[in-house]
Amino acid sequence: MSNDAQLGERYIAVQESAEFADLRRSFRRFVFPVTAFFLAWYFAYVLLSIFASEFMGTKIAGNITIGLLFGLLQFVTTFAITFVYARWANKTFDPKADAVGAMMDSRSDHDFSDSGDWAPGDIDRALEAERLDDQDRK
C-alpha cells in the first residue's frame, strides 16, 4: 500500500473517531450560537435603520443618534466576539485539536482501520505533553 493510501486511511480513521467528533461538536456548540446572535444583532440594526428611521435618528447627546450608537456597537460586538473566541479556542478547542493531532502523529505506524481503538488516556497524555512543551518554551 502506498504512503498516500495509508495517510488517507489514517485521516479517515481520525475523522471517524470519537475524539474528532467531540472536537467538531464543541466547535459547533460555540460557533453556531455566536454566529446566530451576531447575525440577528446585525440584521436588527439594518432593519431598524430601514423601518424605524425616526427611532434610529433620535438624538441621545448632541449629534449622536441611536443609529450611530448601534453602528458603533456593531464594531464593539465584533471585537468582543473575536476576543471571546480567541480565549475559548486557546482554552478549550486548541488543546483538543492538538491532542487529536498528537494522537495521529504518534501513531503514524499504527493501523487506523478500526477507529474504535483510541485509548481513553491518549488525549490526557497528549494534553499533558503539550502543557509540558509549553512550559519548556517559556
Side-chain angles (χ1 to χ4, degrees):
M1 185 178 290
S2 73
N3 283 342
D4 288 341
Q6 289 173 344
L7 186 61
E9 287 178 13
R10 287 197 336 239
Y11 280 124
I12 290 169
V14 168
Q15 185 179 10
E16 293 173 349
S17 72
E19 290 80 8
F20 187 78
D22 179 56
L23 182 68
R24 193 173 48 230
R25 190 172 29 257
S26 67
F27 179 77
R28 289 177 178 167
R29 261 191 231 134
F30 181 87
V31 171
F32 288 172
V34 171
T35 301
F37 162 75
F38 185 76
L39 286 174
W41 163 230
Y42 174 75
F43 284 119
Y45 171 68
V46 171
L47 292 173
L48 283 171
S49 296
I50 295 169
F51 297 111
S53 57
E54 285 184 31
F55 169 72
M56 295 294 271
T58 304
K59 291 186 178 185
I60 298 173
N63 287 332
I64 298 174
T65 64
I66 291 176
L68 179 62
L69 182 63
F70 280 10
L72 292 174
L73 285 174
Q74 290 288 321
F75 289 103
V76 172
T77 305
T78 301
F79 289 119
I81 288 171
T82 302
F83 176 76
V84 169
Y85 174 77
R87 288 192 68 197
W88 172 83
N90 287 333
K91 182 180 176 185
T92 305
F93 185 75
D94 290 348
K96 289 181 180 181
D98 290 343
V100 169
M103 288 168 48
M104 185 165 174
D105 290 343
S106 69
R107 293 187 177 208
S108 61
D109 61 340
H110 184 73
D111 179 16
F112 280 88
S113 59
D114 178 15
S115 63
D117 64 307
W118 299 79
D122 285 349
I123 287 183
D124 294 331
R125 284 191 295 280
L127 289 174
E128 181 64 15
E130 183 70 21
R131 186 184 66 76
L132 292 173
D133 189 40
D134 287 345
Q135 284 179 346
D136 290 343
R137 288 184 201 149
K138 292 179 182 177

